[in-house]
Amino acid sequence: MAAAVRSRAAAWFCLCLLGLPRRAPAFAPQPAAGPGDGLNVLLIVVDDLRPALGCYGDKLVKSPNIDQLASQSVVFSNAYAQQAVCAPSRVSFLTGRRPDTTRLYDFYSYWRVHAGNYSTMPQYFKENGYVTLSVGKVFHPGISSNYSDDYPYSWSIPPFHPSAEKYENDKTCRGKDGKLYANLVCPVDVTEMPSGTLPDIQSTEEAIRLLNVMKTNKQKFFLAVGYHKPHIPLRYPQEFLKLYPLENITLAPDPWVPEKLPSVAYNPWTDIRQRDDVQALNVSFPYGPLPDDFQRQIRQSYYAAVSYLDMQVGLLLNALDDVGLSSSTIVVFTADHGWSLGEHGEWAKYSNFDVATRVPLMFYVPGMTTSSISRGERVFPYLDPFSHILGLVPQGQSKKVVELVSLFSTLAELAGLQVPPVCPETSFHVALCTEGASIVRYFNASEQNVEEEKDGYDDAYRCVNEEPVAFSQYPRPADTPQWNSDKPKLKDIRIMGYSMRTVDYRPYYAEVVRTSAAVFSNTSSQRF
């Protein structure tokens, strides 16, 4: 039923669009250059990062290294995750299947056992001669990746997890009274942290080490690096606070819960309520609100964590230059989902709101998004976020609506591999296929000059008059907010809400699916 729901919604929306005039192109076409064999892949996946970046027009956030990457890349300004929570989103884009096919809506099942033995993106590259490497949080750790990050299927060697990761939720945040707390807002002196470091620092160091190994080995590689910040707790080196004086931090432009908001759509942000500093505020459940001054502190620390992330990305890309591989490596930068910063009275993810589902997405492809680059040429010199304020703009910017589920097929095409086939309507028993079409066709095209096709629609996910559609979904255990609304376990899911996004519209269409948990856990050909 879910595929039918999406198909009807997409069909309705495409029909509504017939005859509407096209908009003028948003950017000039770039010189055409085809992808070639032998390109390495560096996939950077960030946890909980909304497009709060300079290259996305945010005038407050200081992100010079990511902006520099964008200046050499095609940047998609309307990219969407399929579910705004870590494990389901990551399994979705790493397998190229939607959550309704992976059957993962929570954290507590492994798709190869409970849905189908689906091939993953790194597995496909591995089977095509690549050395595949994982650093940090790529798959969500735990049951959802078989306690192994899907090793050995997806990776050539066991994935690396930073040792400091185990302290993430410990009491490491020093309060005004000098005591240690497990706070949400947590600027720290890194030298006082266990082992004197932080997880993302360790991940950068390991990724750089692996780049040097791969330079020596001269083998094609697929290196995925997953960064934790700005995931909560907002724990980052305290010096980054200097970049964001509190007097410059405003509240969200729409900080109130909408009067006519359906209660089932609301996310009561239960995870941040569990942090010591939020508990001390004694905020009412489910709608709050948080005090204005604390809202500003959260937003300040989120931005500071983004600049800390930018430093790590800058060091990693600078190392790619150092080993002479910038001319032969595709770089992809994205996030698993967004994060609400007080919009609609909400915090965190766990919803179908635009701020929770929209993500940054950019592709650097040597000779395609940039002119030819000679071996050893520096493309990504490190930029200190404390001293560099750049006005760099993306090499190409597309307003096309795209989905993370398309990442698998897109990277396969860019690397010169055979693009996996499109999945049939029912694909539980099909090991290799994708539910997201490659978006390479948008790389060198203006908003108008994409291949013309007939008006209408060809599948559940894309209008063929080039008005693409992105679907996101989120489960709820009940109509009204309760303690497990944000992260319901499979057995407790009773409602599945869907949102649909085009470049101009964002309807939350009416087919809210009600069913029993037995249907959600069914791995037969029946679809809800």
Side-chain angles (χ1 to χ4, degrees), residues 95-302:
T95 61
R97 318 276 184 122
R98 297 174 187 277
D100 287 335
T101 304
T102 66
R103 293 305 200 206
L104 181 67
Y105 310 106
D106 56 13
F107 300 84
Y108 307 109
S109 65
Y110 179 43
W111 76 91
R112 295 188 190 273
V113 174
H114 295 96
N117 189 27
Y118 309 146
S119 295
T120 69
M121 175 167 43
Q123 177 183 353
Y124 189 61
F125 275 80
K126 181 183 175 186
E127 291 168 350
N128 278 276
Y130 281 71
V131 176
T132 55
L133 307 161
S134 174
V135 173
K137 186 178 178 181
V138 180
F139 281 101
H140 190 86
I143 298 173
S144 63
S145 57
N146 202 33
Y147 296 100
S148 66
D149 289 15
D150 198 45
Y151 174 79
Y153 297 103
S154 290
W155 310 109
S156 301
I157 62 174
F160 170 86
H161 283 279
S163 60
E165 191 175 271
K166 60 179 173 286
Y167 305 113
E168 270 295 276
N169 292 308
D170 287 2
K171 294 181 182 294
T172 56
C173 316
R174 194 167 299 283
K176 294 180 179 179
D177 59 3
K179 297 180 181 178
L180 295 177
Y181 295 92
N183 285 343
L184 170 64
V185 174
C186 187
V188 298
D189 181 342
V190 176
T191 64
E192 294 181 354
M193 293 299 98
S195 304
T197 188
L198 293 172
D200 286 344
I201 295 172
Q202 290 183 306
S203 290
T204 300
E205 292 168 348
E206 175 63 10
I208 291 172
R209 186 189 73 81
L210 289 173
L211 286 175
N212 280 279
V213 171
M214 298 317 299
K215 175 189 177 182
T216 303
N217 289 355
K218 298 182 179 180
Q219 292 177 277
K220 290 186 298 184
F221 64 83
F222 179 107
L223 171 60
V225 181
Y227 285 113
H228 284 262
K229 296 304 135 185
H231 191 287
I232 69 167
L234 298 171
R235 189 168 69 119
Y236 55 87
Q238 60 191 10
E239 56 267 27
F240 285 91
L241 273 177
K242 299 175 185 176
L243 296 174
Y244 303 98
L246 198 56
E247 58 267 23
N248 294 344
I249 307 299
T250 63
L251 299 179
D254 51 347
W256 308 280
V257 178
E259 288 184 8
K260 296 183 179 180
L261 176 73
S263 58
V264 70
Y266 188 74
N267 141 44
W269 30 283
T270 52
D271 59 346
I272 77 166
R273 292 174 186 272
Q274 297 167 7
R275 311 304 301 184
D276 289 347
D277 49 354
V278 179
Q279 284 188 355
L281 299 172
N282 196 28
V283 176
S284 63
F285 185 91
Y287 296 110
L290 290 169
D292 287 359
D293 60 341
F294 194 72
Q295 290 189 43
R296 290 188 176 92
Q297 289 179 47
I298 297 175
R299 291 168 66 87
Q300 176 193 39
S301 276
Y302 186 91

Side-chain angles (χ1 to χ4, degrees), residues 12 78 109 161 232 263 271 294 393 405 414 419 424 449 459 473 506 508 518 525:
W12 166 80
N78 289 301
S109 65
H161 283 279
I232 69 167
S263 58
D271 59 346
F294 194 72
V393 296
V405 74
L414 289 174
V419 177
N449 298 327
D459 58 32
Q473 62 187 101
R506 196 175 190 279
Y508 180 89
S525 61

